[in-house]
Amino acid sequence: MVPKGTVQHPYRQLKYSVHTMPKPILFAIDDDTSVLEAVVQDLRREYGQFYRILRAASGAAALDICKQLKEREEVVALFLSDQRMPGMTGVDLLQQVIPLYPNAKRVLLTAYADTEAAIRAINAAKIHYYLNKPWDPPEEKLYPVLNDLLESWKQGYRPPFEGIRVIGMRWSPLDHSVRDFLSRNRIPYIGLNPEQSPEAVSLLKQKGLDDTKLPVVLFGDGTALVQPSNTELAEKVGLRTQAQQEFYDVVIVGAGPAGLAAGVYGASEGLRTLIVESIAPGGQAGSSSRIENYLGFPDGLSGDELAKRAYLQANRLGAEFLSQRVAAVRSENGYHIVQMADSSEVTCRVCLVATGVSYCMLDIPGAAQFTGAGVYYGAAQTEAHACANEIVYIVGGANSAGQAAMHFSRYAAEVHLLVRGDSLEKGMSKYLVDQIESTPNIIVETCTEVIEMHGNEHLEGITVSKKSGEECRKTTSIFIFIGAAPKTDWLPPEVLTDSKGFILAGPEVKSRGAWPVAPASDIGRDPYLLETSVPGIFVAGDVRYGSVKRCASAVGEGSIAIQFVHQYLATL
């Protein structure tokens, strides 16, 4: 069990060693060692936290060092050179470093007698400034000048990215899956398309990788994964994929709002708590671009931010997180054995199912063919930047669709919100309806359905049905936010569900004569409010039959589920 107070943040704890670029350099050059030491001390005192301070006692030595730095791809931000040096003057040196570091700021340090030469050098040698000796006090005569020059340098400086690079094609479903996994787990990366980026082609050649097997994920330690699974990615970036213990008081399946809330309360009340999630903390709510009706956040917050806060809270209190997919659960002798997709198992007293729901798939021509290649279910956060200045279609009339429309409106040229009903008010919160109506590039089309999708290698257009008839529209991106399909196909038949797969609990179980699975004499009680037809297996959140499909409601159910867990454990 993770000690309380120890926050294991998967988005920051990378298993591999990432090469960290050295700080930019401030380079001081002077043949007078006492003057050079004074310059270095003044620079280190003011700038040592953010820059490395290097020195050289001659122009020739400085030039040799600069060449070595360039070979190592290190960055020099500023040169501060004395003018009168034997063999090579300061002006000569500053001229010769221009081809090596053209963007570095160049400052000449002169005696009063050399002022006229320094002024001429500003034009001839492109020197940015000159300073007279002595420069005391540096707070008045040195730092203000260097601060201005360094601030100007920083505005044009783009440090090289040393993190994860995903090389793949935009319309590849596997590429989308990789980027979605990294994004939702808040792992920084940059995406490179070989068709548009020479850097991507060069990197593949350097690694000797086949450009027909994409995506390729390159890591800061020099290693690469080719067409990785989520589990392979999770292991590489440091997410835990194997449970630390064999036995837990409660195993929570799903890290949406209900699962995260249960994890917070379970861990805080001393239960050995394991939360298993196959994609990322937050569930469907975690991909929401904006939640504005959640209590306590008057300005709203993104689902991603809510998930991050809840994850950190649960982790700090001692809950353990596992990046795995649960494949099955079975009950033996009063215990529940949870089996993962990799066949590993953990045993628990209580299993809480909080897997939430997924968006329903469109069953129309072309939908399956282009899924991940222009047709997306949810995924507003992952794909928004790729849709800049394009025409985007969103299907759905509930809050999730409205939040996505608002999010995409910041990037796309037009956002068409297609709603099967005759108004938004029937399924969407009033605050969202008002926002959409006041956003000029969102076009709401009611009484409209998508009936076909078409294209070649990726989505190129859709056919919609309206009251006025059928219309063909050109688009490369459509996002689906309709319906709610529960994720319960992994449960045993003893866990009773309705015809759609939603899990029955409490009074619903008893009213259908499904309680208890074991003989009544072995139970001697009614099922708890959130208990399924199998004693000790509980349910919370959107996956429960009859639940209110709202984030706050899921959090509430996850919280009170732990109360019933305690009551159940007390009977054992």
Side-chain angles (χ1 to χ4, degrees):
M1 184 171 177
V2 180
K4 293 184 179 180
T6 302
V7 178
Q8 293 195 342
H9 201 318
Y11 316 126
R12 297 291 178 265
Q13 289 192 339
L14 302 186
K15 185 185 294 184
Y16 56 88
S17 173
V18 177
H19 171 64
T20 303
M21 288 295 293
K23 299 175 183 176
I25 293 166
L26 306 184
F27 203 157
I29 307 100
D30 199 312
D31 66 312
D32 187 327
T33 55
S34 61
V35 174
L36 182 61
E37 181 63 26
V39 171
V40 168
Q41 290 302 319
D42 284 340
L43 293 177
R44 184 170 291 133
R45 184 170 63 250
E46 182 71 8
Y47 305 108
Q49 182 179 357
F50 303 106
Y51 297 89
R52 271 197 308 152
I53 314 301
L54 295 187
R55 70 180 78 191
S58 70
L63 198 57
D64 287 341
I65 293 173
C66 281
K67 292 176 181 177
Q68 296 173 30
L69 293 173
K70 188 67 175 179
E71 289 178 0
R72 296 200 298 264
E73 297 184 349
E74 297 192 51
V75 177
V76 178
L78 180 141
F79 292 96
L80 179 58
S81 175
D82 182 48
Q83 166 62 4
R84 290 192 177 186
M85 295 186 296
M88 183 184 296
T89 67
V91 171
D92 291 338
L93 169 64
L94 295 179
Q95 282 181 312
Q96 293 192 48
V97 298
I98 291 175
L100 296 172
Y101 291 101
N103 297 321
K105 299 301 179 182
R106 296 172 292 277
V107 179
L108 192 67
L109 193 60
T110 71
Y112 182 77
D114 297 323
T115 298
E116 186 176 346
I119 293 174
R120 289 198 303 268
I122 289 177
N123 293 325
K126 298 181 181 179
I127 293 172
H128 296 99
Y129 208 89
Y130 74 91
L131 293 169
N132 286 325
K133 300 177 184 178
W135 59 87
D136 287 331
E139 289 78 10
E140 294 180 12
K141 298 184 178 181
L142 179 66
Y143 298 151
V145 171
L146 299 191
N147 286 344
D148 286 344
L149 291 173
L150 290 173
E151 187 63 32
S152 174
W153 175 82
K154 284 190 294 184
Q155 290 178 6
Y157 174 58
R158 295 294 179 269
F161 183 79
E162 291 296 312
I164 296 173
R165 293 175 171 86
V166 179
I167 300 177
M169 311 300 286
R170 176 181 175 184
W171 308 116
S172 162
L174 186 53
D175 177 71
H176 167 72
S177 175
V178 167
R179 290 186 291 106
D180 190 53
F181 180 85
L182 294 174
S183 296
R184 294 187 61 181
N185 280 283
R186 300 176 67 88
I187 298 170
Y189 73 94
I190 60 172
L192 300 173
N193 187 333
E195 293 182 343
Q196 302 171 346
S197 170
E199 180 186 359
V201 176
S202 175
L203 287 169
L204 290 173
K205 288 182 178 179
Q206 289 175 20
K207 300 292 182 182
L209 296 171
D210 188 349
D211 60 5
T212 64
K213 294 183 178 180
L214 300 177
V216 168
V217 184
L218 303 177
F219 298 89
D221 62 352
T223 60
L225 289 176
V226 179
Q227 297 181 337
S229 66
N230 283 354
T231 300
E232 289 174 323
L233 275 175
E235 290 177 349
K236 183 63 179 177
V237 301
L239 301 181
R240 184 168 287 133
T241 59
Q242 297 295 321
Q244 289 184 298
Q245 304 179 44
E246 296 182 356
F247 178 81
Y248 295 86
D249 295 316
V250 57
V251 172
I252 301 166
V253 185
L260 290 169
V264 166
Y265 279 85
S268 68
E269 294 173 14
L271 298 178
R272 286 170 293 184
T273 303
L274 176 69
I275 304 174
V276 187
E277 171 58 50
S278 62
I279 301 177
Q284 192 182 94
S287 63
S288 176
S289 54
R290 201 74 183 164
I291 302 172
E292 299 204 41
N293 57 358
Y294 194 82
L295 183 66
F297 292 89
D299 295 326
L301 78 167
S302 69
D304 177 66
E305 180 67 18
L306 180 63
K308 182 188 77 171
R309 290 168 179 261
Y311 168 85
L312 291 174
Q313 187 177 19
N315 197 290
R316 179 179 62 83
L317 293 168
E320 179 185 337
F321 283 80
L322 193 63
S323 183
Q324 274 278 9
R325 180 177 62 84
V326 173
V329 62
R330 65 183 188 276
S331 302
E332 297 178 1
N333 303 318
Y335 294 93
H336 306 290
I337 296 91
V338 181
Q339 181 182 358
M340 310 301 168
D342 65 355
S343 298
S344 62
E345 295 181 343
V346 294
T347 302
C348 58
R349 286 287 191 182
V350 172
C351 178
L352 174 61
V353 181
T355 49
V357 295
S358 58
Y359 294 113
C360 291
M361 309 287 282
L362 277 180
D363 186 17
I364 60 174
Q369 177 185 352
F370 300 119
T371 296
V375 177
Y376 306 100
Y377 293 86
Q381 301 277 34
T382 304
E383 298 295 331
H385 290 277
C387 296
N389 301 317
E390 296 181 356
I391 297 176
V392 170
Y393 283 80
I394 294 174
V395 179
N399 279 5
S400 54
Q403 290 160 354
M406 291 300 302
H407 183 62
F408 275 107
S409 69
R410 296 160 50 192
Y411 305 94
E414 289 182 4
V415 179
H416 290 254
L417 183 56
L418 309 183
V419 184
R420 185 169 58 180
D422 58 7
S423 71
L424 286 179
E425 284 79 0
K426 291 182 178 179
M428 193 177 295
S429 297
K430 181 65 164 56
Y431 78 89
L432 263 179
V433 175
D434 292 342
Q435 288 181 359
I436 289 170
E437 290 178 348
S438 63
T439 304
N441 65 332
I442 297 180
I443 302 167
V444 178
E445 301 187 54
T446 57
C447 302
T448 303
E449 293 186 69
V450 182
I451 59 174
E452 186 176 0
M453 301 178 181
H454 37 87
N456 292 311
E457 295 182 355
H458 61 84
L459 180 71
E460 296 177 5
I462 59 175
T463 301
V464 299
S465 175
K466 302 172 66 72
K467 286 183 177 180
S468 57
E470 296 182 2
E471 298 178 12
C472 290
R473 309 278 185 86
K474 288 185 178 181
T475 185
T476 55
S477 299
I478 185 168
F479 298 84
I480 316 300
F481 297 85
I482 59 170
K487 306 173 183 179
T488 54
D489 55 351
W490 56 276
L491 288 170
E494 292 80 13
V495 176
L496 193 65
T497 66
D498 72 352
S499 60
K500 296 180 179 180
F502 290 95
I503 301 173
L504 303 179
E508 288 294 337
V509 168
K510 187 176 180 182
S511 68
R512 303 195 185 199
W515 176 267
V517 171
S521 58
D522 292 345
I523 301 298
R525 62 173 177 83
D526 290 341
Y528 297 114
L529 181 63
L530 298 178
E531 194 171 17
T532 72
S533 54
V534 176
I537 297 183
F538 290 76
V539 61
D542 291 359
V543 72
R544 182 180 64 82
Y545 171 80
S547 64
V548 178
K549 304 300 187 288
R550 286 290 185 268
C551 184
S553 175
V555 169
E557 286 194 14
S559 304
I560 65 172
I562 298 302
Q563 173 189 345
F564 299 121
V565 168
H566 282 298
Q567 293 180 28
Y568 171 79
L569 293 175
T571 66
L572 301 179

